[in-house]
């Protein structure tokens, strides 16, 4: 349970998050579903023929034989062409993803990997291929209505439906992949994911008084990697049962190695190892599941790539600044920094550090300011964004904004020698050069 008046963080689900980061689970599951569907359709076809034979409806059976023979060529074509179609489509898609990662940032690949439409399209394509192969095995050489035992009538209908679904998904998949190559949709996707994390951030009153004295530390055991998720509910339960307060030492997104402290214990003995199992999830890269700063990190990386001499695309950097300002405007009114998670009685049981307002402002502006001071489009947009945030932020949060504005003005004065050019570069403009 988090602070009163807050929205509880989503429970940790390492398996769910791991499966969302993989590209094999959905297709593999769909292949199993395709086999089950074929067995069911085959049983229905056998029941239909058995019923017609009992009713001695041989004319109807003969009609079904003709229909099955007519659809056999379609099934053969589908089974032979689908695998080639899959290879061509996804080869082109991989090229598109590679271009997007090279032009923007390698971290946009996660958008493709986690894309539901991509996984669904591949799954249906493979299911159609496997299902059509199984349907071909159901055809009999016998055409005499009195001797026919099974005809793939329902199976042929399902094959046609799968082909139609594949075509519809192909249209959606192509549209989704093309959007991945466009800067605006990618930035919008990152921003929406970041706002979801912001909406799950706990808030409320801080703990009353200081924490009890630290009585021990719990060392991390496992493979080295990035701290991706924290099971808040499980940690709170473990601390409540032990009667202590736990403090998470690394921040989400930190790289942890075995033997380093991961939890500090305050006010008593540490909970048992069993109680702390599956409370932290470590992976090879950061995710946006609970990591508030990762979205800003991606936006900043794209802006820096756009401002590099090899790319020289300040307009993309301005688009990133638009989203950075949008996020900071939303975060400006929220309590940030240390989060106190409480149990059902209201007692603080878990203390967790999250990025403070200063951290978010520095992450959003520091590197872009350094690289874009000599670019008028970027300096003008930065000034306009900082001025907007100064109007929205409370008095206690204007300090880092004023500092970045002062540093930006100094950097422009140093980078731009001409007085007229400096005056132009220091004119706030929400479009950069609008």
């Amino acid at each position: 349970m988090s602070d009163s008046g807050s929205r509880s963080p989503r429970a940790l689900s390492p398996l769910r998050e791991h499966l969302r980061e993989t590209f094999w689970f959905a297709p593999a599951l769909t292949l199993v579903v395709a086999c089950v569907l074929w067995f069911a359709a085959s049983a229905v076809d056998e029941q239909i023929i058995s019923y017609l034979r009992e009713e001695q409806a041989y004319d109807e059976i003969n009609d079904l034989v003709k229909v099955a023979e007519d659809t056999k060529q379609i099934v053969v074509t589908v089974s032979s062409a689908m695998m080639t179609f899959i290879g061509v489509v996804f080869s082109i898609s991989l090229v598109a993803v590679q271009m997007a990662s090279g032009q923007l940032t390698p971290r946009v690949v996660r958008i493709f990997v986690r894309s539901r439409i991509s996984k669904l399209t591949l799954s249906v394509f493979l299911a159609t291929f496997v299902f059509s192969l199984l349907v071909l095995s159901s055809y009999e050489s016998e055409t005499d209505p009195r001797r026919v035992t099974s005809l793939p009538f329902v199976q042929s209908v399902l094959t046609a439906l799968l082909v139609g679904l594949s075509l519809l998904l192909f249209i959606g998949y192509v549209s989704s992949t093309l959007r991945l190559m466009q800067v605006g949709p990618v930035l919008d996707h990152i921003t929406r994911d970041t706002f979801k994390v912001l909406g799950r951030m706990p808030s409320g009153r801080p703990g009353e008084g200081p924490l009890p004295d630290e009585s021990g530390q719990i060392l991390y055991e496992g493979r080295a990697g990035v701290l991706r998720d924290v099971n808040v509910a499980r940690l709170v339960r473990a601390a409540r049962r032990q009667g202590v307060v736990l403090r998470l030492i690394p921040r989400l997104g930190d790289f942890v190695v075995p033997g380093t402290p991961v939890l500090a214990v305050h006010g008593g003995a540490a909970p048992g190892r069993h109680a702390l199992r599956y409370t932290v999830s470590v992976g090879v890269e950061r995710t946006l599941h609970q990591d508030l700063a990762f979205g800003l990190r991606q936006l900043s990386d794209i802006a820096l790539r756009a401002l590099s001499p090899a790319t020289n695309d300040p307009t993309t950097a301005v688009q990133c600044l638009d989203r950075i300002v949008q996020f900071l405007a939303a975060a400006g009114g929220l309590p940030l920094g240390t989060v106190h998670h409480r149990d059902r009685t209201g007692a603080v049981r878990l203390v967790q550090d999250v990025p403070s307002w200063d951290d978010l402002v520095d992450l959003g502006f520091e590197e872009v300011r350094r690289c874009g001071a000599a670019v008028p489009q970027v300096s003008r947009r930065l000034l306009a964004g900082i001025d907007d945030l100064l109007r929205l932020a409370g008095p206690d949060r204007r300090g880092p904004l004023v500092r970045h504005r002062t540093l930006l003005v100094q950097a422009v004065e140093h980078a731009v020698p001409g007085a007229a050019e400096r005056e132009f570069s220091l004119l706030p403009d929400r479009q950069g050069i609008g």
Side-chain angles (χ1 to χ4, degrees), residues 19 57 100 132 139 230 336 384:
L19 293 179
S132 61
Y139 282 95
V230 178
L336 300 168

Side-chain angles (χ1 to χ4, degrees), residues 121 132 147 178 204 237 267 323 347 405:
T121 302
S132 61
R147 298 181 179 179
L178 290 177
R237 286 196 301 268
R323 298 299 185 169
R405 198 184 197 286

Side-chain angles (χ1 to χ4, degrees), residues 33 46 149 222 237 278 294 324 351 390 398:
V33 173
E46 291 179 2
T149 59
R237 286 196 301 268
Y278 308 118
F294 186 44
I324 291 173
V351 178
L390 284 171
R398 292 175 181 168

